[in-house]
Amino acid sequence: VMSEQRHGNRLIRETSPYLRQHAHNPVAWQPWDREALEQARREEKPILLSIGYSACHWCHVMAHESFEDDATARVMNELFVNIKVDREERPDLDRIYQTAFQVLHGRAGGWPLTMFLAHDDQTPFVGGTYFPKIARYGMPAFTDVLRRVSEHYRQHRRELREQNRALLEALRADSGSGSAGGDARDLTADPLRAARDQLVGSFDPVHGGFGGAPKFPHPTGLELLLRRWAASVQRGEPDRPAETAALFTLRKMALGGVYDQLGGGFFRYSVDAEWQIPHFEKMLYDNGPLLALYAQAWRATQNPLFRAVAEETGAWVMRDMQAPDGGYYATLDADSEGQEGKFYLWTLEQVQELLDAEDYAVAAAHYGLNRPPNFESHAWHLRVAAQVPEMIRRPDGDAAPIANRLTAARHKLLEARSRRVWPGRDEKILTAWNGLMIRGMAIAARHLGRADFAVSAERALDFTRAQLWRDGRLLAAHKDGQSRLSAYLDDYAFLIDGVLELLQCRWRDGDLDFALALAEVLLERFEDREAGGFFFTADDHERLIQRPKPAHDDALPAGNGIAAQALIKLGHLTGRTAYLEAAERALRWAWPTVERIPSACNALLAALEEYLEPGQTVVLRGAAPALEEWRDRCAKPYAPRRMTLAIPATATLPAGLLAERRPEAATVTAHVCGGSECLPPITALADLERELARSELSGP
């Protein structure tokens, strides 16, 4: 409390919860803005750039050790202009300086990212991630690093200029804005096969997932395998290894501690190879794609576990992550009461206190409480150690009593947990992440028949449109009634994708027009007209040392991949060939990267698949209730390469849309197209059935 009264820096006026956590540090933090950059130029002091986010554990550790420490702050303030960045608000800066870290150090960075930049042009000359306050973990003490860096900068400015020139060259090469990559060559399906082989090759057959610890969910890779398997079943040549890698991984994650067994939703990653103990933060951007994936997997296999996970995750999002005015919040912290995972952990006494003996026996067997503690030496993080069928003593026994006891126990535990001190929630509403969750909710809504999920997605879309769409452009972030920051490629691409999925749940006048308006900005402001592909920032964005063009997926799917997918869908739907051409240019630009590291480019590969074999577009026109029945028949099955719009006869449609003419006298008319080839209008459901069956997974 003392330090709060003594200190206050320029972050006090920011809306980001992460930046505000540092507003009372003795460090003279500033946001990344003109004022801070000007000061560095004027005083010829290098910039200490610290990038993190509010759910990041080591960011908190470094903040507590060093940034709250008066002695460390004195050194920082004397030698540097100190700038704090929330990577969730400024993914442009994070992307650039993480790439620079990789070029300088030959390895991937992470958070907190600590970079030292030249005072005049913001080129980084050295950097690290977490530095301890005193020398340990084989790392030097942070204040020693600060003094050495400052000294080096003063003495070796000329050599650093040369190094910086080489770094900038490398960054320019990385952003791939040279000539159009694979222009002359044909685009083929080879990388799709190669990605499948790489993923299956790195699959862990014992625990599921890919590679060893730490283990991440990789939803884009799993989605690729699920699609490849479904297509192989349709061809009558089931790809069993792809099926196993996808479905076994989804099963193992659902039963592990990386999934919140009580509250639903997935944690960021597992620190072990068995999916047991997670890093406890929960991110909106992981849960949107995973929600979609589990709903699709349930639809493809009818495995009740997948349905339960999708329904619980959707319920968690609506309960804990949706703002009263509709937008989805960003993250839940890993720490509560200063300890990682404390909110989620249990002792035996805590559980025994809540449950009677019989419920306890069932819960203990199910969640592994009858085994040694799995979190350090004293606590249990719940995971499924035994499923209900394994807990029945006799082969002909009835599962219902055990399942009922388990439901009751789970309900009591969740209720008790919700009374604990909650982990921090970052209540920023980010446009791109909302796009991912709108998509996830919409896909789950139609596959599971959950109208409430579609309503939730619609509220988030309406919030985004009301608060983050200004004068024909998107803004990236909203907090405390303020919307700010020019939007990035991901904001436009993910939001278009979300709108297209939501339109498949229900038609609403104006939504498609909004998607088309977003697509126009994408082409006008983000496309690299010379080389193809889309820059991460718009043409009128603040000038930074690099203008990246992301091709491979990282924690989020690559914006270029989602943009290309969305443009292909919109192109086939509206007949606007400019969209299809822009998507093709993006694929040609990315081709060298896609060929070199296919399994890192799954979002682009999904676009490549759509480009090589255009999916099926079904537009239904007619009146309720028949229109709803036809829509369910088209939109519910797992047919990942079909887009269905059910449009009331009275709706007003954008010009050029398939089936813009009023329908015939029939109750419902179906317009079915594959690419640019359309069948004659279909007016009998039985005729449509025959057509649809060709592109569906009939059953497991």
Side-chain angles (χ1 to χ4, degrees):
V1 178
M2 274 301 293
S3 69
E4 294 224 0
Q5 288 155 0
R6 276 208 327 266
H7 305 298
N9 56 45
R10 288 189 58 222
L11 300 185
I12 217 148
R13 296 194 291 277
E14 292 296 301
T15 55
S16 153
Y18 174 66
L19 297 185
R20 291 182 72 113
Q21 283 166 11
H22 295 83
H24 294 289
N25 290 169
V27 179
W29 289 120
Q30 307 194 54
W32 179 285
D33 63 6
R34 189 171 290 146
E35 191 179 325
L37 302 180
E38 275 303 321
Q39 186 195 333
R41 277 193 204 100
R42 194 172 60 246
E43 298 178 5
E44 298 202 357
K45 276 186 182 177
I47 292 167
L48 188 163
L49 173 66
S50 174
I51 303 182
Y53 58 103
S54 67
C56 154
H57 177 67
W58 286 100
C59 299
H60 295 318
V61 174
M62 191 164 171
H64 182 61
E65 289 180 339
S66 295
F67 305 152
E68 293 170 10
D69 175 63
D70 287 323
T72 307
R74 267 198 299 280
V75 180
M76 290 172 71
N77 295 341
E78 182 195 339
L79 302 178
F80 300 95
V81 169
N82 300 292
I83 295 183
K84 199 75 168 117
V85 163
D86 180 345
R87 67 118 177 172
E88 296 168 356
E89 281 195 337
R90 294 298 305 260
D92 53 340
L93 294 171
D94 185 51
R95 193 175 280 276
I96 290 167
Y97 289 106
Q98 292 285 354
T99 306
F101 179 94
Q102 194 145 13
V103 172
L104 289 168
H105 296 275
R107 61 187 170 85
W111 300 280
L113 184 69
T114 311
M115 294 297 269
F116 297 94
L117 321 182
H119 71 279
D120 49 1
D121 64 0
Q122 299 97 51
T123 311
F125 56 93
V126 68
T129 50
Y130 162 79
F131 288 104
K133 182 180 166 184
I134 50 174
R136 63 170 188 272
Y137 313 126
M139 295 170 163
F142 188 43
T143 46
D144 292 347
V145 171
L146 295 171
R147 291 194 180 96
R148 265 184 279 166
V149 167
S150 173
E151 183 81 357
H152 187 73
Y153 187 72
R154 280 206 307 278
Q155 291 176 354
H156 301 282
R157 212 174 279 179
R158 187 171 294 131
E159 299 98 291
L160 289 175
R161 285 251 172 277
E162 288 307 308
Q163 176 195 307
N164 288 357
R165 196 170 297 135
L167 175 72
L168 290 170
E169 282 305 312
L171 288 177
R172 260 192 282 284
D174 174 82
S175 66
S177 44
S179 64
D183 241 0
R185 290 177 295 169
D186 280 345
L187 299 174
T188 69
D190 293 348
L192 283 157
R193 288 188 284 272
R196 175 256 175 231
D197 294 347
Q198 285 176 357
L199 286 164
V200 166
S202 65
F203 168 64
D204 174 349
V206 181
H207 304 295
F210 306 100
K215 214 171 237 180
F216 289 82
H218 294 301
T220 53
L222 291 169
E223 191 178 10
L224 177 115
L225 290 173
L226 197 63
R227 287 167 72 121
R228 300 291 295 166
W229 166 62
S232 72
V233 171
Q234 280 156 13
R235 288 195 309 273
E237 315 161 342
D239 180 345
R240 293 299 175 213
E243 175 189 17
T244 303
L247 300 178
F248 184 71
T249 297
L250 289 172
R251 204 178 130 253
K252 284 295 198 183
M253 278 168 32
L255 298 174
V258 76
Y259 179 67
D260 181 353
Q261 297 296 337
L262 296 183
F266 287 86
F267 299 106
R268 179 80 195 90
Y269 63 88
S270 170
V271 298
D272 53 72
E274 296 85 50
W275 301 113
Q276 277 212 44
I277 302 299
H279 210 301
F280 283 93
E281 67 266 57
K282 281 185 182 178
M283 322 296 278
L284 192 69
Y285 65 70
D286 290 315
N287 282 283
L290 287 167
L291 170 58
L293 195 53
Y294 275 90
Q296 289 166 328
W298 177 74
R299 195 30 96 180
T301 65
Q302 306 293 302
N303 179 337
L305 174 66
F306 297 158
R307 180 170 189 125
V309 166
E311 296 201 307
E312 288 162 12
T313 299
W316 164 71
V317 171
M318 293 193 294
R319 184 181 69 238
D320 293 349
M321 299 301 282
Q322 190 157 27
D325 47 11
Y328 295 121
Y329 297 134
T331 64
L332 278 177
D333 212 327
D335 302 4
S336 51
E337 302 181 73
Q339 291 175 36
E340 196 195 351
K342 184 171 183 184
F343 182 73
Y344 300 99
L345 301 172
W346 295 89
T347 62
L348 296 186
E349 297 72 38
Q350 287 171 329
V351 181
Q352 282 161 344
E353 218 170 273
L354 291 166
L355 306 178
D356 67 31
E358 282 167 313
D359 284 359
Y360 177 79
V362 169
H366 182 65
Y367 292 125
L369 301 173
N370 52 7
R371 302 180 186 196
N374 62 359
F375 189 83
E376 290 162 6
S377 59
H378 63 284
W380 280 258
H381 174 53
L382 305 186
R383 57 166 195 325
V384 176
Q387 289 179 275
V388 171
E390 305 160 54
M391 292 160 63
I392 302 166
R393 293 211 176 80
R394 297 194 318 279
D396 59 343
D398 181 6
I402 290 180
N404 291 342
R405 283 197 179 279
L406 199 53
T407 304
R410 185 170 166 230
H411 184 76
K412 282 180 192 146
L413 291 170
L414 179 62
E415 219 273 312
R417 190 181 84 178
S418 68
R419 293 197 298 271
R420 292 177 175 177
V421 176
W422 276 67
R425 181 169 63 188
D426 189 319
E427 297 186 355
K428 280 196 309 294
I429 290 163
L430 297 167
T431 304
W433 300 12
N434 271 257
L436 288 174
M437 187 50 79
I438 289 166
R439 171 186 177 268
M441 281 293 204
I443 288 173
R446 66 190 171 85
H447 284 323
L448 308 174
R450 288 288 300 259
D452 54 337
F453 286 9
V455 170
S456 168
E458 191 173 279
R459 290 180 58 225
L461 175 60
D462 289 346
F463 174 88
T464 306
R465 204 167 164 180
Q467 300 295 337
L468 290 146
W469 177 242
R470 290 265 186 287
D471 307 320
R473 297 288 288 275
L474 279 176
L475 293 165
H478 179 93
K479 177 80 176 57
D480 298 335
Q482 292 181 50
S483 297
R484 51 200 294 272
L485 301 170
S486 304
Y488 311 100
L489 169 62
D490 291 358
D491 297 299
Y492 286 90
F494 297 173
L495 193 55
I496 297 168
D497 197 28
V499 172
L500 288 176
E501 286 299 341
L502 188 52
L503 275 168
Q504 297 187 70
C505 295
R506 51 92 188 108
W507 176 264
R508 191 170 64 159
D509 282 355
D511 283 358
L512 184 58
D513 300 279
F514 183 43
L516 294 171
L518 294 170
E520 289 302 323
V521 182
L522 208 52
L523 296 187
E524 192 186 322
R525 297 288 185 172
F526 289 85
E527 197 189 6
D528 181 343
R529 299 223 175 85
E530 285 162 34
F534 297 91
F535 290 108
F536 190 69
T537 50
D539 58 357
D540 56 356
H541 194 83
E542 174 191 356
R543 281 272 163 267
L544 301 168
I545 61 167
Q546 186 199 26
R547 198 176 171 207
K549 268 167 71 181
H552 52 77
D553 309 320
D554 42 38
L556 302 172
N560 267 288
I562 303 298
Q565 289 177 43
L567 288 168
I568 289 171
K569 286 179 185 143
L570 282 174
H572 288 311
L573 192 60
T574 62
R576 297 186 191 183
T577 52
Y579 294 165
L580 300 172
E581 288 157 9
E584 183 183 338
R585 285 194 297 271
L587 287 168
R588 290 191 180 283
W589 157 73
W591 188 250
T593 310
V594 168
E595 269 195 316
R596 198 173 69 250
I597 42 168
S599 64
C601 301
N602 293 310
L604 274 160
L605 290 179
L608 176 66
E609 186 184 26
E610 291 284 337
Y611 168 80
L612 294 171
E613 285 178 66
Q616 187 181 53
T617 306
V618 181
V619 177
L620 308 169
R621 297 291 311 266
L627 183 64
E628 286 305 299
E629 184 195 346
W630 285 49
R631 186 198 68 83
D632 275 3
R633 175 58 196 88
C634 298
K636 269 201 175 156
Y638 180 62
R641 315 225 11 255
R642 172 187 304 153
M643 181 156 113
T644 305
L645 297 187
I647 307 177
T650 52
T652 50
L653 303 188
L657 185 74
L658 264 179
E660 64 180 304
R661 294 188 310 282
R662 295 284 156 127
E664 330 297 313
T667 341
V668 182
T669 304
H671 304 262
V672 180
C673 300
S676 50
E677 292 171 15
C678 296
L679 301 173
I682 297 172
T683 54
L685 189 51
D687 296 340
L688 180 61
E689 284 274 3
R690 273 194 297 280
E691 205 43 57
L692 296 175
R694 299 168 204 257
S695 61
E696 283 175 3
L697 202 55
S698 51

